[in-house]
Amino acid sequence: MKEIDDLTIPDLRFAQDHEWAKLEDGGVRVGISDYAQDQLGDVVYVELPQVGETFEQGAVFGAVESVKAVSELYMPVGGRILAVNEKLEKAPELVNADPYGDGWMIVVEPADLRQLDALMNSAQYLAVLKG
Amino acid sequence: MQNEPKKTLLHGWHTVHCANMADFGRYNMPLWYPAGAKQEHLAVLTAAGMFDTSHMAAVLVSGPQSFELLQRCFTRDLNACAGRDKSALTPGNCTYGAFLDENGFVIDDAIVYQLADQSYMVIVNAGMGGPIARHLEARAGERVPRILDLSDRLGKFDLQGPRAAAILMRVLANPEKVLDSMRYFTFKGCMDKMACFSDAVRLTDGTPVLLSRTGYTGEFGFEIFLRPEHFIQTWERVLEAGLDFGLLPCGLAARDSLRTGAVLPLSHQDIGRWPFINHPWEFALPFVSQGAGFSKAFIGDQALLNIRSPEYTHAFVGHDLRKVSAHDPAAVIDAGGKKIGEVLTCVTDMGIGRFEDRIYSIASPDRPEHFQPKGLSCGFVKTVVRLSPGQTVTLKDNRRKIEVVIAGNIRPDRTARRPIHQMMAFGR
């Protein structure tokens, strides 16, 4: 288990359920945090939505499975799915190896960008992890 | 603090080695180390893994009436449970079974080791030393044997996997003599320097151990018992001796997926507060012949024979690695859409996969070329109707439905029962 100080927490937005969100040209990219992947252990399967589906903020958009457990993935911002990371189908371990990079999960066309601003910044997220 | 989780002697070692820790059976235990649960699981199938199992408890039962007490309380007939020919348990043999209450419900499952005439060691699950010791005391007759709860007073680790014997040969004194002809469910040696029933088993540094050819992964290997003062240094020594054989320290996650793939039930999850009957481990009850009464009287026997609304526990295996969450809870649905039961365990055995119509293990000698399993979901269900191997049912939790097949066996080509001379030469 990583110590809190060993966790990577880049300058992104974070939801309570440990998803990260990053505003890019054309959408908000979403994945799970280094803390979340460390807690889950080896990710063996990622269930992702179809491009074009629409979800509210906080709705379940998929699931991530470790050897032991299945955990739900929640939309950090509501909107339409613009892209999903198809690499995860064959290489779910990317979520462990590179949670903020190649382990990304979806790109969302946000319905309301204010939802993004209301998420935690990295300092606030770190404070939550430190409890 | 009563609610603080307990720590085994290796707790500091686990944290220094960056294990992901969680509470299990009131102990703070490693779930996995940095290699991850998948690599740990695969190591036990192809090389070896080491598990800290010192959270498990031992109860010593000795003196007059010990045999009679265990014969009355344990589900195995101690006069007919050893080896394939079902002979009487003798010193150097051990047997798996359970302790039931008067309703036929499981208090805990256990392995009973016969140390000497009227002297036994009972290994139960974490936190169960006290309850089982009290259960035995309460059911002893006028002459109560000596019952000693050794919880937290011994070291125990499991060395499991096809290379376990080759690793042990590097640390045992007289390894050929110790391992020669050692059958499944037999043991040698003792934890004390005092003379024991058989020749002492010692490591090359003189440490005495009780070496048992058992384990709970379905794979070849040993459970090793020793005194606490020798525990940490011996753990480190064995680990070092096995490094170049691919030996990994393994946590409870790998133990859980390994035991499930081997169709081994977890006490308090797959067996528990319901009648201990109609499950895949019929051998754990002393049936005379299938369903036709028991060869001895024991606590819970009448309840088991007089069940009015039977429940059945079955193992299952999925078509891919996707799981349901047993905690949701997840239901078992028959072909007609009717709920017939609940899911007790659902994990992924990462060492197996389907190819054409068969399941292969990463260690199957006849596996297809370039076979790289993605894993299959597997586990146990409890149903109100009897199902047969090969039957398909649907498991449904709040998220998804998966189709699974009721199975008599899950991970093929397991090594637990292989002749020891084969395993001593494995990989050399």
Side-chain angles (χ1 to χ4, degrees), chain A residues 1-75:
Chain A
M1 185 163 51
K2 290 186 180 180
E3 296 295 329
I4 296 294
D5 293 338
D6 296 337
L7 291 168
T8 310
I9 304 181
D11 187 18
L12 302 170
R13 292 286 172 173
F14 293 88
Q16 290 287 348
D17 298 300
H18 308 289
E19 288 84 8
W20 56 262
K22 181 186 179 193
L23 184 61
E24 298 179 346
D25 286 348
V28 175
R29 192 176 294 266
V30 174
I32 63 169
S33 72
D34 192 23
Y35 173 81
Q37 71 77 22
D38 187 54
Q39 289 292 311
L40 283 167
D42 287 334
V43 172
V44 297
Y45 185 77
V46 184
E47 188 175 279
L48 294 175
Q50 302 283 329
V51 170
E53 285 188 84
T54 300
F55 299 91
E56 301 278 326
Q57 185 183 32
V60 174
F61 71 86
V64 59
E65 289 198 31
S66 64
V67 175
K68 267 185 90 67
V70 188
S71 304
E72 291 179 326
L73 297 164
Y74 300 94
M75 294 289 277

Side-chain angles (χ1 to χ4, degrees), chain B residues 241-415:
Chain B
L243 272 186
D244 61 329
F245 278 138
L247 172 62
L248 286 181
C250 299
L252 292 180
R255 190 169 167 82
D256 196 37
S257 51
L258 286 160
R259 67 95 191 164
T260 305
V263 200
L264 297 168
L266 180 63
S267 192
H268 310 290
Q269 183 167 310
D270 303 315
I271 51 178
R273 294 198 57 75
W274 58 89
F276 186 63
I277 197 166
N278 297 325
H279 54 54
W281 323 283
E282 226 158 48
F283 66 86
L285 285 169
F287 285 115
V288 176
S289 61
Q290 199 179 3
F294 298 129
S295 62
K296 67 163 188 176
F298 60 96
I299 291 170
D301 59 351
Q302 289 310 307
L304 297 185
L305 292 173
N306 296 326
I307 290 170
R308 296 224 175 109
S309 50
E311 289 178 310
Y312 304 86
T313 306
H314 301 286
F316 69 85
V317 60
H319 294 283
D320 57 40
L321 57 71
R322 289 176 311 145
K323 297 181 284 295
V324 292
S325 288
H327 314 291
D328 254 5
V332 184
I333 314 282
D334 70 8
K338 190 175 153 203
K339 184 186 170 189
I340 54 168
E342 61 188 278
V343 179
L344 302 169
T345 287
C346 189
V347 298
T348 303
D349 184 327
M350 294 304 298
I352 57 175
R354 291 179 183 273
F355 184 77
E356 295 178 343
D357 285 337
R358 252 194 68 183
I359 295 175
Y360 292 88
S361 151
I362 196 167
S364 292
D366 59 347
R367 65 190 179 276
E369 210 181 340
H370 309 304
F371 177 68
Q372 285 201 321
K374 286 192 163 178
L376 295 175
S377 60
C378 55
F380 291 97
V381 293
K382 183 157 65 82
T383 61
V384 292
V385 293
R386 186 189 286 275
L387 303 170
S388 307
Q391 227 173 315
T392 293
V393 291
T394 301
L395 309 184
K396 181 179 182 301
D397 67 5
N398 290 329
R399 181 178 311 104
R400 61 166 70 125
K401 288 181 182 176
I402 59 171
E403 278 202 348
V404 300
V405 182
I406 299 301
N409 194 18
I410 299 176
R411 190 171 67 246
D413 303 305
R414 299 196 300 271
T415 52

Side-chain angles (χ1 to χ4, degrees), chain B residues 61-66 69 133 136-147:
Chain B
V61 182
S62 58
Q65 300 293 316
S66 293
L69 177 62
L136 292 172
E137 279 161 9
R139 275 131 187 108
E142 286 181 3
R143 293 181 67 188
V144 183
R146 185 161 180 257
I147 297 172

Side-chain angles (χ1 to χ4, degrees), chain B residues 160-194:
Chain B
Q160 301 277 294
R163 285 186 149 162
I167 293 165
L168 271 188
M169 289 172 81
R170 291 180 169 179
V171 294
L172 280 174
N174 284 322
E176 278 84 6
K177 187 179 166 215
V178 171
L179 297 177
D180 180 49
S181 312
M182 197 172 177
R183 284 181 295 110
Y184 194 38
F185 272 82
T186 64
F187 66 98
K188 292 182 179 179
C190 53
M191 289 167 273
D192 290 300
K193 286 181 182 151
M194 296 177 291

Side-chain angles (χ1 to χ4, degrees), chain B residues 33-331:
Chain B
Y33 300 88
K38 179 181 175 181
Q39 290 310 318
E40 293 169 18
H41 180 111
L42 297 180
V44 173
L45 301 187
T46 58
M50 249 166 80
F51 300 82
D52 174 13
T53 49
S54 54
H55 60 313
M56 296 178 73
V59 178
L60 292 181
V61 182
S62 58
Q65 300 293 316
S66 293
F67 169 84
E68 289 76 8
L69 177 62
L70 288 171
Q71 184 73 329
R72 191 156 62 249
C73 294
F74 195 54
T75 59
R76 299 299 293 278
D77 185 346
L78 300 180
N79 281 325
C81 63
R84 290 197 174 160
D85 57 348
K86 295 261 170 104
S87 52
L89 197 69
T90 51
N93 286 280
C94 51
T95 187
Y96 170 85
F99 292 99
L100 308 183
D101 64 15
E102 279 73 8
N103 296 317
F105 297 174
V106 176
I107 303 169
D108 203 16
D109 64 353
I111 294 183
V112 169
Y113 291 74
Q114 183 163 6
L115 303 174
D117 185 38
Q118 295 287 17
S119 174
Y120 299 87
M121 178 171 77
V122 181
I123 301 297
V124 293
N125 286 285
M128 294 307 293
I132 291 295
R134 288 192 291 277
H135 174 77
L136 292 172
E137 279 161 9
R139 275 131 187 108
E142 286 181 3
R143 293 181 67 188
V144 183
R146 185 161 180 257
I147 297 172
L148 185 62
D149 172 14
L150 284 185
S151 295
D152 306 319
R153 286 159 66 184
L154 85 167
K156 174 179 181 295
F157 66 90
D158 298 3
L159 177 63
Q160 301 277 294
R163 285 186 149 162
I167 293 165
L168 271 188
M169 289 172 81
R170 291 180 169 179
V171 294
L172 280 174
N174 284 322
E176 278 84 6
K177 187 179 166 215
V178 171
L179 297 177
D180 180 49
S181 312
M182 197 172 177
R183 284 181 295 110
Y184 194 38
F185 272 82
T186 64
F187 66 98
K188 292 182 179 179
C190 53
M191 289 167 273
D192 290 300
K193 286 181 182 151
M194 296 177 291
C196 42
F197 72 93
S198 67
D199 289 343
V201 174
R202 290 178 192 281
L203 306 184
T204 48
D205 65 1
T207 303
V209 297
L210 187 152
L211 183 68
S212 171
R213 203 189 140 184
T214 48
Y216 219 59
T217 62
E219 300 305 324
F220 173 80
F222 302 88
E223 292 180 272
I224 297 157
F225 300 82
L226 65 172
R227 294 183 65 86
E229 59 266 34
H230 303 305
F231 187 45
I232 299 173
Q233 72 199 53
T234 304
W235 165 273
E236 288 184 324
R237 239 184 113 215
V238 175
L239 202 54
E240 196 184 319
L243 272 186
D244 61 329
F245 278 138
L247 172 62
L248 286 181
C250 299
L252 292 180
R255 190 169 167 82
D256 196 37
S257 51
L258 286 160
R259 67 95 191 164
T260 305
V263 200
L264 297 168
L266 180 63
S267 192
H268 310 290
Q269 183 167 310
D270 303 315
I271 51 178
R273 294 198 57 75
W274 58 89
F276 186 63
I277 197 166
N278 297 325
H279 54 54
W281 323 283
E282 226 158 48
F283 66 86
L285 285 169
F287 285 115
V288 176
S289 61
Q290 199 179 3
F294 298 129
S295 62
K296 67 163 188 176
F298 60 96
I299 291 170
D301 59 351
Q302 289 310 307
L304 297 185
L305 292 173
N306 296 326
I307 290 170
R308 296 224 175 109
S309 50
E311 289 178 310
Y312 304 86
T313 306
H314 301 286
F316 69 85
V317 60
H319 294 283
D320 57 40
L321 57 71
R322 289 176 311 145
K323 297 181 284 295
V324 292
S325 288
H327 314 291
D328 254 5

